[in-house]
Amino acid sequence: MSDKKNIKFIKPNQDYTPDWDSSILNKDIEELGLSDYTLSKLKAVEINKVLDLCRCQMRHMYKIPGISKKNVFEVLKKLQVLGVDFKRSLVVATTIENDSVDDNVVSSKPNNDVPQKNNNQNQTKNNKFKENKPNKSQENKVNACEQKANKPNVDLNKNAIQAQKNKVNNNNKKVNENQQSNQKNNFANQKQNSQNQNQQNSEPKRLKVNSYELDAFINENISVKKTLKQEREEKIAKAIKDLPQLKNEDGLYKFYKHGKWGYKNEAGKVIIEPTYTEAFNFKEGLACVELNERCGFINKQGEVVIPIEYDTACSFSEGLASVTKDDKCGYIDKEGNIVFDFIYQAATSFENNIALVKKDGKWGYMDRTTGEIRLR
């Protein structure tokens, strides 16, 4: 396997422009407050602006020579402080029942709203015409009165004719007012029904997957801009939804709730409350956990047996665990004693008494019993 420094990093997604404030995207990465080491590695591949980082996905960051998981999460946390993030996948889970839904898929259901709208408009015009049109029988009564008034030798009071006309007009006015009142009531009822339906659809739903419990805030019908926390929770739910129930020799299983990790037993009873920002499965009786950007180890009673003071850490294997402190890797035992000093640039877990380590820019295989390194 060749070293990372021999791979030329190419900035991805140069045509992609995130929908965030341009004043934030145009900031220099020096303003993020990154460590000197991380800043130098980003500058080495011509990543100078926040926009360059937002065009990258997390998998692209690992291709940068010298960049590790610790550096990637350092950059991610600084971006989130500004309210931006790395480029995310287009597929987002939007329902509980379906496995996944593509936001770009357009429904093939025919739109019947337009003809219905036209029919409603025609009906409204007809109603207005009918409302304004006087009653035929009432018109006949008025005409009859006028004819009697015009006949000779008939002494009909003009005031009586005018009163009859006013009576007809008042009746027409009442009919129009009643029809308008009915229309307003129908419109108000439709509006109230629509609001009730939207309120039901916007209620948050709780998603339970195997022994994991997640609060999934998913709106099925209303398209809104999700927060970064909601996006992360939905992606975690999607990633673990189809995972089979794993059998753990230690009998404890990690679970995620409200942005924190904890542990349950096989019966689903909470043994260790969710208080950690990151957690690994128990191995050899201990589990690696992260709190306040530092790593340590706890036992199955939730007691901290190795202080939470390391930058990164791996699970125990063959009695030793690889840990990082001040950008240097070493190995400790289950009592926290240093077995191999912090002199390595990278170090993996032991398997069959052999671990892969990097020292002075070169990779080699280290023997657990002697500490000797054989170059690859």
Side-chain angles (χ1 to χ4, degrees), residues 38-52:
T38 304
L39 188 62
S40 63
K41 296 303 179 182
L42 295 177
K43 286 286 189 179
V45 293
E46 298 181 357
I47 292 182
N48 301 313
K49 300 288 184 181
V50 174
L51 176 61
D52 296 331

Side-chain angles (χ1 to χ4, degrees), residues 284 316-321 331-334 339-340 349-356 365-373:
E284 298 185 4
F316 273 93
S317 177
E318 300 184 1
L320 298 181
Y331 291 90
I332 59 174
D333 60 18
K334 293 184 178 180
V339 179
F340 295 103
S349 300
F350 277 98
E351 186 175 351
N352 297 325
N353 289 327
I354 298 295
L356 188 62
Y365 298 101
M366 184 172 71
D367 191 326
R368 182 177 183 276
T369 57
T370 63
E372 295 179 355
I373 300 175

